[in-house]
Amino acid sequence: MQRLAILGSTGSIGRQTLDVVRAFPDRFEATTLTAASNWELLVRQAAEFRPDSVVIARRELYGRVAEALEGLDVKVYAGEEAIEQVVRGEAVDTVVNALVGYAGLAPTLSAVEAGRKLALANKESLVVAGELVMRRAMERGAPIIPVDSEHSAIFQSLVGERSPIEKLILTASGGPFLRASAEDMARATIDDALRHPRWSMGARITVDSATMLNKGFEVIEARWLFGVEARRIEVVVHPQSIVHSLVEFADSALKAQLGTPDMHLPIQYALTFPDRLPIAGEKFSFVDHPSLTFERPDLERFPLLEVAYDVLARGGNAACILNAAGETAVEAFLAGRISFPRITEVITEVLARATFIPNPTVDDYRQSNSEAKNIAGQLSGFTSAF
Ligand code: NAD
Ligand code: MG
């Protein structure tokens, strides 16, 4: 029995993780569930899965959760710090970090410090502080298994290999604006940006896919997860999202993992590795989909992809600034405060203005995150509700 702490259980990845638990009740047990504000769903999940504990991050909702779970043997905690605490709990084998944004970093560090196995969906942990997270994981012997589909594909392709990686090729669907003109993108509404052609995901990552900042984040994520220099990481647009990413070796061999896009697979694999268990659903058929295409990304319409490479070259807290600026700019866009192209402008401006720190500590990351969010907030006339 593998006991899971599922951080962000009410989100897109969190709910799909609970599907996996539901499918294999004799293998997985959800011992901790956490949510930011969707307390009703958290309560329903707790009633179904009977975890040891739940955490509601928004403190003001504590009373409602506690009242609704009265009579069930479930401990209720509130606040973001409580998430850091529960992942260290004795009753946890694996932490599934499905939080979105900077908020995922502290629980990632906490899980790694405690030596827990970490199934990591929260790519922002690695974008903000990848070097630190990987170093601590190595020191503590804590395995980190990627949930992001591209990184899971690479991870799967590396099983059994001991030769160095020559190149990583990350595939990108190109998002909803792959074929849109710059003028179309300037007029894009919130709904347009949220209409992803291949994946149904949380709002932030969906908008990040529309700017392709998400792919930039994934380059940074891959750099740290697999210890591969940025110059060896390439992005290729593959609109069908069947080839989930590739590894090239010295002998020119390419290995990839393919399949119908469905996050249940990378989530489940992160939990069962090195084993595989069945998943219901559509199997991919080459003859039904004979056309798999690949093209270079258009950096003129998607400049944030290149910004991610610049940020890696700068090092220090630059990627932390990028993430924070992106978090606030996307929030401002989703609140109707700024236009779609303004997201890119705000991010670029914050990167130019925020304090650069060459060798940041955890505290520096915290301050840098706040500073960059403040600047982004000023630039977009927006203050985060959180
Ligand atoms: P989501 O918005 O659907 O869910 C986020 C979860 O985190 C929710 O349960 C929410 O309550 C919780 N949360 C948000 N802010 C919080 C805070 N400040 N404190 C505590 N809890 C908080 O997001 P998602 O799409 O499930 O994505 C989760 C992570 O997985 C992201 O890092 C995303 O980039 C990554 N990811 C998602 C997908 C996908 O298909 N959804 C694919 C690849 C990677
Ligand atoms: Mg991905």
Side-chain angles (χ1 to χ4, degrees):
M1 187 61 89
Q2 195 176 153
R3 297 163 305 174
L4 313 177
I6 304 173
L7 315 183
S9 61
T10 55
S12 161
I13 295 290
R15 282 179 274 122
Q16 295 180 81
T17 306
L18 286 173
D19 291 341
V20 174
V21 175
R22 213 178 266 119
F24 299 100
D26 50 334
R27 281 181 178 255
F28 304 115
E29 191 181 296
T31 50
T32 293
L33 303 174
T34 86
S37 54
N38 189 347
W39 67 274
E40 287 112 327
L41 180 56
L42 181 67
V43 162
R44 282 203 301 280
Q45 291 177 339
E48 179 182 352
F49 292 95
R50 301 300 174 96
D52 292 345
S53 61
V54 298
V55 180
I56 183 83
R58 299 273 199 283
R59 289 177 189 283
E60 63 274 20
L61 297 171
Y62 172 82
R64 300 203 201 176
V65 178
E67 194 185 330
L69 292 178
E70 222 172 48
L72 295 186
D73 191 15
V74 179
K75 296 185 213 65
V76 181
Y77 304 107
E80 284 191 45
E81 305 73 42
I83 301 176
E84 286 171 63
Q85 297 292 327
V86 291
V87 306
R88 296 173 192 265
E90 282 302 315
V92 173
D93 300 307
T94 302
V95 175
V96 180
N97 187 345
L99 300 175
V100 62
Y102 181 86
L105 176 60
T108 283
L109 287 172
S110 184
V112 160
E113 298 285 356
R116 299 283 178 270
K117 177 169 114 182
L118 177 61
L120 186 60
N122 179 260
K123 64 187 80 185
E124 295 89 345
S125 300
L126 292 174
V127 171
V128 172
E131 189 173 17
L132 178 76
V133 168
M134 296 311 290
R135 188 172 2 104
R136 295 222 175 143
M138 198 75 88
E139 285 163 8
R140 307 292 304 181
I144 299 184
I145 324 267
V147 169
D148 211 350
S149 58
E150 296 76 3
H151 305 74
S152 175
I154 291 167
F155 185 83
Q156 293 178 57
S157 302
L158 289 172
V159 171
E161 296 291 345
R162 54 183 192 185
S163 303
I165 294 166
E166 195 65 27
K167 196 157 85 179
L168 296 179
I169 303 172
L170 296 177
T171 52
S173 71
F177 302 142
L178 177 60
R179 305 285 175 234
S181 66
E183 295 72 44
D184 292 340
M185 286 164 77
R187 282 191 302 265
T189 64
I190 298 170
D191 281 348
D192 294 335
L194 287 178
R195 212 171 292 126
H196 196 282
R198 298 279 166 236
W199 301 95
S200 156
M201 312 179 285
R204 186 197 179 186
I205 180 173
T206 306
V207 177
D208 283 346
S209 301
T211 59
M212 289 192 75
L213 177 58
N214 178 54
K215 209 49 59 178
F217 282 165
E218 293 184 353
V219 170
I220 302 174
E221 183 184 7
R223 192 263 169 269
W224 298 119
L225 261 179
F226 304 112
V228 172
E229 301 274 326
R231 66 187 166 85
R232 293 182 186 273
I233 307 175
E234 197 179 295
V235 172
V236 169
V237 173
H238 168 47
Q240 299 81 18
S241 299
I242 298 298
V243 180
H244 295 305
S245 283
L246 309 93
V247 185
E248 189 185 297
F249 296 94
D251 57 359
S252 309
L254 280 171
K255 285 176 78 179
Q257 181 255 325
L258 286 71
T260 304
D262 179 359
M263 287 306 295
H264 289 97
L265 166 60
I267 293 168
Q268 182 170 297
Y269 188 75
L271 303 180
T272 62
F273 162 77
D275 299 321
R276 292 183 185 274
L277 292 178
I279 295 187
E282 194 194 331
K283 308 267 184 220
F284 176 70
S285 153
F286 278 100
V287 286
D288 291 345
H289 303 271
S291 172
L292 300 181
T293 61
F294 301 88
E295 58 195 272
R296 252 184 260 287
D298 177 353
L299 297 177
E300 299 230 328
R301 281 182 309 126
F302 301 105
L304 290 178
L305 184 51
E306 206 163 28
V307 168
Y309 282 92
D310 296 344
V311 151
L312 268 180
R314 278 179 82 188
N317 66 333
C320 173
I321 298 170
L322 172 65
N323 173 67
E327 222 160 291
T328 300
V330 167
E331 233 185 305
F333 170 71
L334 289 172
R337 301 302 289 267
I338 61 172
S339 69
F340 183 75
R342 186 76 186 134
I343 296 174
T344 302
E345 292 170 7
V346 167
I347 290 173
T348 314
E349 224 166 306
V350 175
L351 274 167
R353 280 213 224 163
T355 315
F356 179 71
I357 306 168
N359 292 301
T361 62
V362 174
D363 247 2
D364 291 331
Y365 283 126
R366 195 173 302 131
Q367 281 180 27
S368 175
N369 178 60
S370 312
E371 185 198 16
K373 282 184 176 170
N374 278 332
I375 302 173
Q378 286 161 18
L379 291 170
S380 38
F382 173 82
T383 15
S384 171
F386 212 139

